[in-house]
Amino acid sequence: MWKAMTNCPATKANLAGRRVPCSSTCPICEDHPESVEHALLTCPWVIGVWFASPLGYIGNRQQETSLHQWFLSLCNILDQPKDEVNKSITIVSFVMWSIWKARCKAVFDHLRPNPLEVLRGAREAWSKFFQNEVCPGNINRVDGEEVVVNPGVTWCAPPNPFLKLNVDPSWQKASGLTGLGIVIRNHMGDFKYGKVLKTTTGSIEIAEARVIIEGLSFVLEHGITHVCVESNSKNVIDNCSGKIARGD
Ligand SMILES: [Zn+2]
Protein backbone atom coordinates (compact mmCIF):
# COMPACT_ATOMS: atom_id res chain seq x y z
CA MET A 1 0.00 0.00 0.00
CA TRP A 2 2.80 2.34 0.89
CA LYS A 3 4.55 1.63 -2.40
CA ALA A 4 1.33 2.17 -4.33
CA MET A 5 0.57 5.44 -2.49
CA THR A 6 4.03 6.76 -3.27
CA ASN A 7 3.79 5.80 -6.96
CA CYS A 8 6.55 3.18 -6.75
CA PRO A 9 5.14 0.12 -8.57
CA ALA A 10 6.90 -0.61 -11.84
CA THR A 11 3.91 0.04 -14.10
CA LYS A 12 4.62 0.61 -17.79
CA ALA A 13 4.04 4.37 -17.46
CA ASN A 14 6.39 4.55 -14.48
CA LEU A 15 9.05 2.53 -16.30
CA ALA A 16 8.74 4.69 -19.44
CA GLY A 17 8.90 7.77 -17.20
CA ARG A 18 12.17 6.46 -15.77
CA ARG A 19 13.57 6.08 -19.30
CA VAL A 20 13.25 2.33 -19.50
CA PRO A 21 12.83 1.66 -23.22
CA CYS A 22 9.26 0.33 -23.21
CA SER A 23 5.81 1.50 -24.20
CA SER A 24 3.79 3.20 -21.45
CA THR A 25 0.59 1.53 -22.67
CA CYS A 26 -1.29 -0.85 -20.37
CA PRO A 27 -0.28 -4.41 -21.35
CA ILE A 28 -3.73 -5.76 -20.48
CA CYS A 29 -6.29 -3.43 -22.09
CA GLU A 30 -3.73 -1.86 -24.46
CA ASP A 31 -5.85 1.25 -24.42
CA HIS A 32 -4.44 3.64 -21.80
CA PRO A 33 -1.10 4.54 -20.26
CA GLU A 34 -0.52 2.16 -17.39
CA SER A 35 -0.24 4.48 -14.41
CA VAL A 36 -0.53 3.09 -10.87
CA GLU A 37 -4.11 4.40 -10.79
CA HIS A 38 -4.90 2.69 -14.07
CA ALA A 39 -3.32 -0.62 -13.02
CA LEU A 40 -5.02 -0.74 -9.62
CA LEU A 41 -8.30 1.12 -10.12
CA THR A 42 -9.47 1.84 -13.62
CA CYS A 43 -8.22 -0.76 -16.08
CA PRO A 44 -11.48 -2.35 -17.36
CA TRP A 45 -10.78 -5.77 -15.83
CA VAL A 46 -9.95 -4.14 -12.49
CA ILE A 47 -13.25 -2.23 -12.42
CA GLY A 48 -14.95 -5.64 -12.29
CA VAL A 49 -12.89 -6.68 -9.27
CA TRP A 50 -13.78 -3.56 -7.30
CA PHE A 51 -17.42 -3.75 -8.25
CA ALA A 52 -17.68 -7.38 -7.09
CA SER A 53 -15.78 -6.63 -3.86
CA PRO A 54 -17.60 -5.87 -0.57
CA LEU A 55 -17.10 -2.18 -1.39
CA GLY A 56 -19.24 -2.44 -4.52
CA TYR A 57 -17.10 0.37 -5.88
CA ILE A 58 -17.47 1.56 -9.45
CA GLY A 59 -14.26 3.08 -10.83
CA ASN A 60 -14.52 6.41 -12.56
CA ARG A 61 -11.57 7.37 -14.74
CA GLN A 62 -12.51 11.06 -14.75
CA GLN A 63 -12.72 11.48 -10.98
CA GLU A 64 -9.50 9.87 -9.88
CA THR A 65 -6.58 12.23 -9.60
CA SER A 66 -4.16 10.04 -7.68
CA LEU A 67 -4.35 6.79 -5.80
CA HIS A 68 -3.45 8.69 -2.66
CA GLN A 69 -6.39 11.11 -3.14
CA TRP A 70 -8.71 8.22 -3.95
CA PHE A 71 -7.70 6.42 -0.78
CA LEU A 72 -8.19 9.51 1.39
CA SER A 73 -11.62 10.20 -0.04
CA LEU A 74 -12.52 6.53 0.43
CA CYS A 75 -11.59 6.80 4.13
CA ASN A 76 -13.77 9.91 4.38
CA ILE A 77 -16.84 8.37 2.80
CA LEU A 78 -16.62 5.24 4.93
CA ASP A 79 -19.18 6.37 7.47
CA GLN A 80 -18.47 3.56 9.91
CA PRO A 81 -17.08 3.02 13.42
CA LYS A 82 -13.27 2.99 13.57
CA ASP A 83 -13.04 -0.81 13.75
CA GLU A 84 -15.16 -1.15 10.62
CA VAL A 85 -13.09 1.47 8.78
CA ASN A 86 -9.93 -0.48 9.65
CA LYS A 87 -11.59 -3.62 8.37
CA SER A 88 -12.53 -1.92 5.09
CA ILE A 89 -9.00 -0.58 4.67
CA THR A 90 -7.65 -4.09 5.22
CA ILE A 91 -9.99 -5.43 2.55
CA VAL A 92 -8.98 -2.65 0.14
CA SER A 93 -5.31 -3.49 0.76
CA PHE A 94 -5.78 -7.17 0.01
CA VAL A 95 -7.83 -6.43 -3.11
CA MET A 96 -5.12 -4.09 -4.41
CA TRP A 97 -2.40 -6.59 -3.66
CA SER A 98 -4.26 -9.37 -5.48
CA ILE A 99 -4.87 -7.07 -8.45
CA TRP A 100 -1.19 -6.22 -8.65
CA LYS A 101 -0.14 -9.87 -8.43
CA ALA A 102 -2.61 -10.81 -11.20
CA ARG A 103 -1.38 -7.90 -13.31
CA CYS A 104 2.21 -9.18 -12.93
CA LYS A 105 1.12 -12.71 -13.86
CA ALA A 106 -0.49 -11.26 -16.97
CA VAL A 107 2.70 -9.42 -17.88
CA PHE A 108 5.26 -12.11 -17.08
CA ASP A 109 3.36 -15.39 -17.45
CA HIS A 110 0.81 -14.24 -20.07
CA LEU A 111 -2.10 -15.39 -17.92
CA ARG A 112 -5.19 -13.33 -18.57
CA PRO A 113 -6.53 -12.04 -15.24
CA ASN A 114 -9.94 -13.26 -14.15
CA PRO A 115 -11.66 -10.70 -11.87
CA LEU A 116 -13.61 -13.28 -9.88
CA GLU A 117 -10.53 -15.46 -9.35
CA VAL A 118 -8.58 -12.43 -8.20
CA LEU A 119 -11.32 -11.46 -5.80
CA ARG A 120 -11.49 -15.00 -4.47
CA GLY A 121 -7.75 -14.94 -3.77
CA ALA A 122 -8.09 -11.60 -2.00
CA ARG A 123 -11.05 -12.84 0.03
CA GLU A 124 -9.12 -15.92 1.15
CA ALA A 125 -6.20 -13.72 2.20
CA TRP A 126 -8.24 -11.21 4.18
CA SER A 127 -10.32 -13.97 5.84
CA LYS A 128 -7.12 -15.65 7.00
CA PHE A 129 -5.83 -12.30 8.23
CA PHE A 130 -8.98 -11.59 10.25
CA GLN A 131 -9.01 -15.13 11.67
CA ASN A 132 -5.47 -14.77 12.93
CA GLU A 133 -6.20 -11.36 14.33
CA VAL A 134 -8.87 -12.69 16.70
CA CYS A 135 -7.17 -15.98 17.51
CA PRO A 136 -7.07 -16.10 21.32
CA GLY A 137 -4.30 -17.77 23.30
CA ASN A 138 -6.85 -19.26 25.68
CA ILE A 139 -6.04 -20.71 29.04
CA ASN A 140 -9.20 -22.29 30.30
CA ARG A 141 -8.55 -23.16 33.93
CA VAL A 142 -6.25 -21.92 36.65
CA ASP A 143 -6.74 -23.68 39.99
CA GLY A 144 -10.25 -24.64 38.94
CA GLU A 145 -11.14 -21.07 37.98
CA GLU A 146 -11.93 -20.22 34.41
CA VAL A 147 -9.64 -17.63 32.89
CA VAL A 148 -10.09 -16.15 29.45
CA VAL A 149 -7.20 -14.37 27.82
CA ASN A 150 -8.23 -11.36 25.76
CA PRO A 151 -7.99 -12.04 22.08
CA GLY A 152 -5.92 -9.68 20.01
CA VAL A 153 -3.15 -9.48 17.48
CA THR A 154 -0.98 -7.37 19.78
CA TRP A 155 0.92 -8.68 22.76
CA CYS A 156 -1.33 -9.18 25.75
CA ALA A 157 -0.47 -9.70 29.37
CA PRO A 158 -1.07 -13.14 30.90
CA PRO A 159 -3.79 -13.61 33.52
CA ASN A 160 -2.69 -13.44 37.17
CA PRO A 161 -0.90 -15.54 38.59
CA PHE A 162 0.82 -16.39 35.31
CA LEU A 163 3.96 -14.82 33.94
CA LYS A 164 4.49 -14.82 30.21
CA LEU A 165 7.66 -16.09 28.59
CA ASN A 166 8.25 -14.61 25.14
CA VAL A 167 11.06 -16.12 23.12
CA ASP A 168 12.57 -15.52 19.71
CA PRO A 169 15.81 -16.62 18.10
CA SER A 170 17.88 -15.21 15.27
CA TRP A 171 19.74 -17.63 13.06
CA GLN A 172 22.41 -17.32 10.38
CA LYS A 173 22.24 -20.03 7.78
CA ALA A 174 25.90 -19.87 6.69
CA SER A 175 27.48 -20.04 10.14
CA GLY A 176 24.68 -21.54 12.21
CA LEU A 177 25.26 -18.66 14.62
CA THR A 178 22.20 -18.31 16.80
CA GLY A 179 21.01 -15.59 19.15
CA LEU A 180 18.37 -16.50 21.70
CA GLY A 181 16.15 -13.81 23.20
CA ILE A 182 14.07 -14.42 26.31
CA VAL A 183 11.71 -11.99 28.05
CA ILE A 184 9.41 -12.61 31.01
CA ARG A 185 6.60 -10.23 31.93
CA ASN A 186 3.81 -10.31 34.51
CA HIS A 187 0.03 -9.86 34.34
CA MET A 188 0.45 -6.07 34.39
CA GLY A 189 2.71 -6.28 31.36
CA ASP A 190 5.73 -5.26 33.47
CA PHE A 191 9.14 -6.58 32.50
CA LYS A 192 10.41 -9.05 35.12
CA TYR A 193 13.39 -10.94 33.68
CA GLY A 194 15.30 -11.13 30.42
CA LYS A 195 18.23 -12.98 28.97
CA VAL A 196 20.16 -13.26 25.72
CA LEU A 197 22.39 -16.16 24.74
CA LYS A 198 24.68 -16.95 21.83
CA THR A 199 25.03 -20.45 20.50
CA THR A 200 25.08 -22.37 17.21
CA THR A 201 22.29 -24.55 15.84
CA GLY A 202 21.67 -26.52 12.65
CA SER A 203 18.36 -25.02 11.56
CA ILE A 204 15.89 -22.26 12.38
CA GLU A 205 13.49 -24.90 13.80
CA ILE A 206 16.17 -26.11 16.21
CA ALA A 207 16.89 -22.50 17.15
CA GLU A 208 13.15 -21.92 17.78
CA ALA A 209 12.95 -25.06 19.94
CA ARG A 210 16.19 -24.28 21.71
CA VAL A 211 15.05 -20.82 22.76
CA ILE A 212 11.92 -22.33 24.35
CA ILE A 213 14.03 -24.86 26.29
CA GLU A 214 16.44 -22.13 27.44
CA GLY A 215 13.44 -19.97 28.38
CA LEU A 216 11.95 -22.74 30.47
CA SER A 217 15.29 -23.39 32.24
CA PHE A 218 15.37 -19.67 32.99
CA VAL A 219 11.82 -19.93 34.38
CA LEU A 220 12.91 -22.78 36.68
CA GLU A 221 16.00 -20.86 37.82
CA HIS A 222 13.71 -18.09 39.03
CA GLY A 223 11.33 -20.51 40.78
CA ILE A 224 8.40 -19.45 38.60
CA THR A 225 5.54 -21.95 38.79
CA HIS A 226 2.88 -20.47 36.49
CA VAL A 227 4.01 -19.54 33.01
CA CYS A 228 2.58 -19.09 29.51
CA VAL A 229 5.00 -19.63 26.65
CA GLU A 230 4.65 -17.53 23.52
CA SER A 231 6.60 -18.37 20.38
CA ASN A 232 5.95 -17.46 16.74
CA SER A 233 7.17 -20.76 15.34
CA LYS A 234 4.10 -22.71 14.26
CA ASN A 235 6.22 -25.79 13.53
CA VAL A 236 7.67 -25.92 17.00
CA ILE A 237 4.35 -25.25 18.72
CA ASP A 238 2.67 -27.93 16.59
CA ASN A 239 5.49 -30.25 17.54
CA CYS A 240 5.17 -29.48 21.26
CA SER A 241 1.41 -29.99 21.16
CA GLY A 242 1.77 -33.33 19.40
CA LYS A 243 0.46 -32.32 15.98
CA ILE A 244 3.78 -33.22 14.36
CA ALA A 245 5.40 -36.36 15.69
CA ARG A 246 8.70 -35.85 13.95
CA GLY A 247 10.22 -32.96 12.06
CA ASP A 248 13.28 -30.80 11.76
ZN1 LIG B 1 -5.54 -1.29 -18.84
Side-chain angles (χ1 to χ4, degrees):
M1 285 293 276
W2 169 71
K3 281 186 169 180
M5 296 298 159
T6 48
N7 199 28
C8 283
T11 61
K12 294 290 178 186
N14 274 350
L15 289 175
R18 289 164 203 160
R19 299 189 190 174
V20 175
C22 69
S23 154
S24 63
T25 305
C26 172
I28 299 176
C29 68
E30 300 176 330
D31 203 23
H32 295 273
E34 194 198 28
S35 61
V36 172
E37 288 74 22
H38 179 83
L40 296 176
L41 295 176
T42 57
C43 188
W45 82 271
V46 170
I47 289 178
V49 179
W50 286 111
F51 184 59
S53 79
L55 266 77
Y57 171 75
I58 304 169
N60 183 337
R61 206 165 288 131
Q62 273 74 47
Q63 275 177 13
E64 274 124 32
T65 46
S66 73
L67 190 71
H68 192 203
Q69 281 303 324
W70 173 83
F71 187 70
L72 288 181
S73 56
L74 178 77
C75 293
N76 286 335
I77 57 165
L78 289 172
D79 183 22
Q80 298 166 329
K82 196 164 176 266
D83 274 6
E84 288 298 308
V85 171
N86 283 343
K87 209 172 164 179
S88 300
I89 290 173
T90 302
I91 290 173
V92 166
S93 309
F94 276 111
V95 171
M96 269 189 194
W97 190 27
S98 292
I99 289 172
W100 180 249
K101 285 194 293 188
R103 176 268 178 205
C104 292
K105 270 196 175 146
V107 173
F108 298 109
D109 301 336
H110 310 289
L111 292 171
R112 211 166 167 74
N114 174 334
L116 290 179
E117 283 286 305
V118 169
L119 192 61
R120 210 182 54 198
R123 191 184 298 274
E124 253 170 43
W126 83 61
S127 304
K128 227 180 238 179
F129 180 84
F130 288 132
Q131 264 171 26
N132 287 339
E133 197 179 33
V134 294
C135 179
N138 269 337
I139 290 167
N140 295 323
R141 284 182 180 280
V142 181
D143 297 336
E145 252 188 73
E146 202 155 273
V147 177
V148 181
V149 178
N150 286 337
V153 69
T154 52
W155 186 89
C156 61
N160 201 10
F162 279 83
L163 298 187
K164 186 181 271 188
L165 166 68
N166 279 91
V167 292
D168 206 24
S170 65
W171 182 68
Q172 261 185 5
K173 197 174 180 180
S175 60
L177 216 65
T178 308
L180 308 176
I182 297 163
V183 175
I184 298 177
R185 280 172 283 205
N186 68 8
H187 66 284
M188 303 291 287
D190 296 329
F191 171 84
K192 298 300 285 181
Y193 311 102
K195 188 177 182 180
V196 287
L197 286 163
K198 259 192 200 171
T199 181
T200 51
T201 54
S203 75
I204 183 66
E205 255 77 28
I206 295 173
E208 292 278 6
R210 185 69 179 276
V211 74
I212 295 177
I213 294 169
E214 292 293 344
L216 290 173
S217 305
F218 192 56
V219 161
L220 286 177
E221 268 171 43
H222 287 278
I224 298 162
T225 53
H226 290 72
V227 69
C228 315
V229 182
E230 204 164 74
S231 150
N232 61 1
S233 170
K234 189 175 183 307
N235 278 350
V236 172
I237 295 297
D238 280 351
N239 197 279
C240 290
S241 52
K243 287 186 196 157
I244 307 173
R246 284 178 63 83
D248 280 350

